[in-house]
Structures are given as structure tokens and as C-alpha cells.
Amino acid sequence: MAAAGAVALTSLLTLPHAYAHGNVTPQGVDTTGLPKVGDKWLEQNPYRGNKLALTVGTSAYNQNCARCHGIEAISGGIAPDLRQLDRDCFGIKNETKKQACYKETDNYYLTTIRHGKVRNGAVYMPPFEGVFNQEAMWAIKTYLETRRESN
């Protein structure tokens, strides 16, 4: 009887931790004040250096991305460390090639955030197209770029 009680108590104490991530509802992102980018999906971040985009992106990241990708984009191992997203571009000396690398990374980022990541039928990241507008997605990328620079 005592063993059954111990098992039950252990289960009750560990269950909340096992389901800590669970299903989460994305939080809306207010992009009021950001320049509109239109209906066509862009290939590059239009908000680099935009202070309002940084503010919007920081908030949006913290509310929607940090639970998997880590606070301040420092991954705890659940999902990729997004500070490393465009690390392959850093050392490129040729400026034209470097900008092409950043453009390619931006395209990869946008495709991933729009469509999510699924492997073998398992959802590793949900799609955010239809949840976030393009302005919100690029604002989050603007935030991530500042995290890269602070490393």
C-alpha cells in the first residue's frame, strides 16, 4: 500500500514538469506603426536597424518563441539557438557574397516561420503563417539579429 502511495505521489509531482510545454496558444503581435510590407512575401528583412521593429520583435519573441528557443534567444536545447541562424555569413570577406548569404538566411527563416518544421510526421515547430503577419515575422528577425551581434 505504501509503495502504491509513493508511486502516486511521484506521478503527481512529476506530471506537471512532463507537460510543461504542452499546447500553447500564440499571442498576437501588434505591428502598428511599422511600415507595411504588402502582400508579397519579401526575401529579405526590411526592418534591419528599425528601432520600432526591434521593440515589436523583442516582445513578440518573448511571448511566442522564448518557451522553445530560450530567453534572449539562448537555447536551452529544446530548439535551435537562433543566435546562430546566420553564423555562416559572418566570415565572408566578399561583401556581395556576404549579402547574398544574409538574403538566403532570411529566406530560410521566413520559410521556416511560415510553414513550421515537421519530420516523420512529428511537429517540431508549428507554422505561424495566418497567425503572424509578415511585419511581425520580420520584426522578430530584427530582434534575433541584435542577439547575434551581442554574442
Side-chain angles (χ1 to χ4, degrees):
M1 185 74 146
V7 169
L9 180 60
T10 301
S11 295
L12 286 174
L13 293 175
T14 59
L15 190 61
H17 299 291
Y19 291 100
H21 273 67
N23 290 333
V24 291
T25 303
Q27 301 299 306
V29 178
D30 182 4
T31 57
T32 303
L34 288 176
K36 299 293 179 202
V37 296
D39 294 331
K40 184 177 187 259
W41 289 98
L42 303 180
E43 293 182 353
Q44 283 188 280
N45 185 357
Y47 297 139
R48 280 192 180 103
N50 182 311
K51 289 182 181 185
L52 179 57
L54 175 57
T55 300
V56 169
T58 301
S59 175
Y61 177 88
N62 287 329
Q63 292 178 46
N64 294 286
C65 311
R67 72 193 73 188
C68 294
H69 289 283
I71 295 171
E72 296 184 7
I74 301 169
S75 177
I78 293 171
D81 188 324
L82 297 177
R83 297 172 304 159
Q84 304 291 319
L85 189 61
D86 50 11
R87 71 180 176 269
D88 294 339
C89 304
F90 294 155
I92 298 174
K93 303 276 188 250
N94 180 298
E95 192 59 33
T96 302
K97 289 182 180 181
K98 182 181 249 182
Q99 291 311 312
C101 182
Y102 284 129
K103 182 178 178 181
E104 183 178 313
T105 301
D106 281 357
N107 189 25
Y108 172 80
Y109 162 83
L110 191 64
T111 299
T112 300
I113 197 169
R114 286 178 65 195
H115 303 293
K117 289 286 187 182
V118 177
R119 271 182 266 151
N120 300 322
V123 176
Y124 284 79
M125 179 175 157
F128 285 92
E129 186 171 344
V131 177
F132 297 160
N133 62 20
Q134 184 173 194
E135 288 84 0
M137 293 179 189
W138 286 123
I140 293 169
K141 180 69 164 66
T142 299
Y143 166 70
L144 292 173
E145 289 172 1
T146 66
R147 294 300 303 141
R148 170 194 74 217
E149 293 169 359
S150 67
N151 288 339

